[in-house]
Amino acid sequence: MSAARFRATSGRVHLFNLHPAPGSQHTQKRLGRGRSSGLGKTSGRGHKGQKARSGNGKPKAGFEGGQTTISKLFPKRGFVNANGKTYAAINLDKIAHWVEQGRLKSTPEEPITARELVLSGCIHDPHDGVKLLGSGAEQLKVPIHIVPSRASKSAIRAVEQLGGSVFCRYYNRLSLYDCVKGRTDRVAAAPTRREDIMWYTDWRNRGYLSEKSIAKMPVVEERWRELATQLTKFKSQEFEKK
C-alpha cells in the first residue's frame, strides 16, 4: 500500500497541494511475483486453454468457440448493389408549398440545389443526390429553377411549361458534401461510369453535359465545356475496318 498523499485543506492552489484527480490513477498489476501476490505462476491467465495463450486473450467479435456462428445460421436474401444509389425523392407539390411560404427562392443564376433543400427543411438527408418527381405538378404556379441529380420526364415537362428550368448535375459523395456545405475550393467530380456518362450527356434527361444544356444554362463552368466535348467524342468516332 502506498502512503496517502498529503492534501491541504486550503482552497488556494499551490505547488505543494497539486494532486491527480480522484480515481484517475490505479496501482499497476505486478505479474509473476509469487503465488502470495495472487498473480503468480500463470499471471492471472488460468490454466491451459485459449485465453492462456499469448496474444489471443480476446477472439474476434462474433466468435463462439468454434461452433457455427449465429451470423452464418440465418439465411440470406437478396444482395446489396455496390453501384446502386439512394436518391432523396422530392415532389413538385412540396416544392410549390415551400415556395408559397417563402422558404425557397430561385433564379436562373441561383437555382435550387441540394443545399437550399436541406437548409430550408424540405429534405433532411440528401443521401446520394436529389431526384425531382412530378407528383402534384398542378399545384406549382410559379416558375422555378432547380439543379437536382436526377429528374423524371413529367417533372421536367411541368417545370418547363411554366418557364422554369431543370438541369441534372452529377454528384459523387464528396462533391455532394461540398454542395450541401457550400464549399467551392475543390473541383467537383465528373461522371466516370458509362451509365452516368450516357445519362448526363443526354438532353432528354436535361443532363448538364449535353450540348443544348451548355448553350442554355446561364452559369456554365469552362470545365463543363471540355468534359462535354471529351465525353461525347465517342458518338462521332469511326473505327477502321480491315
Side-chain angles (χ1 to χ4, degrees):
M1 297 295 294
S2 60
R5 294 177 179 270
F6 170 75
R7 298 190 180 185
T9 57
S10 174
R12 299 183 62 182
V13 178
H14 298 280
L15 291 176
F16 64 83
N17 64 2
L18 292 176
H19 57 82
S24 64
Q25 290 187 331
H26 303 276
T27 304
Q28 182 181 4
K29 288 184 179 180
R30 302 181 74 243
L31 305 180
R33 293 299 185 270
R35 295 187 178 183
S36 60
S37 68
L39 295 173
K41 191 184 175 183
T42 55
S43 301
R45 292 184 177 272
H47 292 281
K48 301 174 183 178
Q50 184 183 35
K51 295 185 179 180
R53 304 301 184 226
S54 158
N56 193 26
K58 290 184 178 180
K60 64 180 181 180
F63 182 70
E64 299 181 12
Q67 71 177 9
T68 305
T69 60
I70 193 172
S71 61
K72 292 184 178 181
L73 291 176
F74 283 94
K76 308 300 186 294
R77 295 289 183 268
F79 71 100
V80 177
N81 187 359
N83 296 321
K85 290 187 177 182
T86 301
Y87 292 101
I90 181 70
N91 290 306
L92 287 178
D93 55 355
K94 191 170 185 178
I95 292 182
H97 183 58
W98 251 244
V99 171
E100 290 178 1
Q101 291 183 334
R103 300 171 68 175
L104 277 178
K105 296 180 181 179
S106 65
T107 61
E109 291 75 18
E110 296 182 356
I112 299 172
T113 63
R115 174 177 172 81
E116 285 73 28
L117 294 174
V118 172
L119 292 179
S120 64
C122 197
I123 61 174
H124 301 289
D125 188 355
H127 297 292
D128 295 322
V130 177
K131 184 171 184 178
L132 184 65
L133 302 178
S135 178
E138 63 279 359
Q139 299 184 23
L140 187 64
K141 305 299 181 183
V142 295
I144 61 171
H145 306 274
I146 186 170
V147 180
S149 296
R150 295 288 179 100
S152 65
K153 298 294 190 300
S154 59
I156 295 173
R157 192 182 314 112
V159 172
E160 292 183 346
Q161 284 178 353
L162 294 174
S165 62
V166 179
F167 295 105
C168 297
R169 183 176 172 183
Y170 173 79
Y171 294 99
N172 66 351
R173 187 176 296 274
L174 183 60
S175 60
L176 183 62
Y177 172 85
D178 290 345
C179 175
V180 173
K181 298 299 181 180
R183 291 189 58 171
T184 57
D185 57 327
R186 288 190 285 211
V187 178
T192 54
R193 297 178 62 243
R194 183 176 184 273
E195 177 185 357
D196 294 332
I197 293 174
M198 297 298 292
W199 173 274
Y200 291 103
T201 56
D202 192 348
W203 166 248
R204 292 175 297 179
N205 301 324
R206 298 304 186 264
Y208 75 119
L209 295 179
S210 65
E211 295 181 359
K212 291 185 178 180
S213 297
I214 294 293
K216 291 187 176 183
M217 280 190 295
V219 179
V220 180
E221 297 181 8
E222 190 62 32
R223 180 168 173 269
W224 296 354
R225 301 180 190 275
E226 183 178 354
L227 284 174
T229 304
Q230 295 294 331
L231 296 179
T232 58
K233 187 180 294 185
F234 72 94
K235 297 181 180 179
S236 58
Q237 285 181 335
E238 295 183 358
F239 298 93
E240 297 182 358
K241 296 182 179 180
K242 295 184 179 179

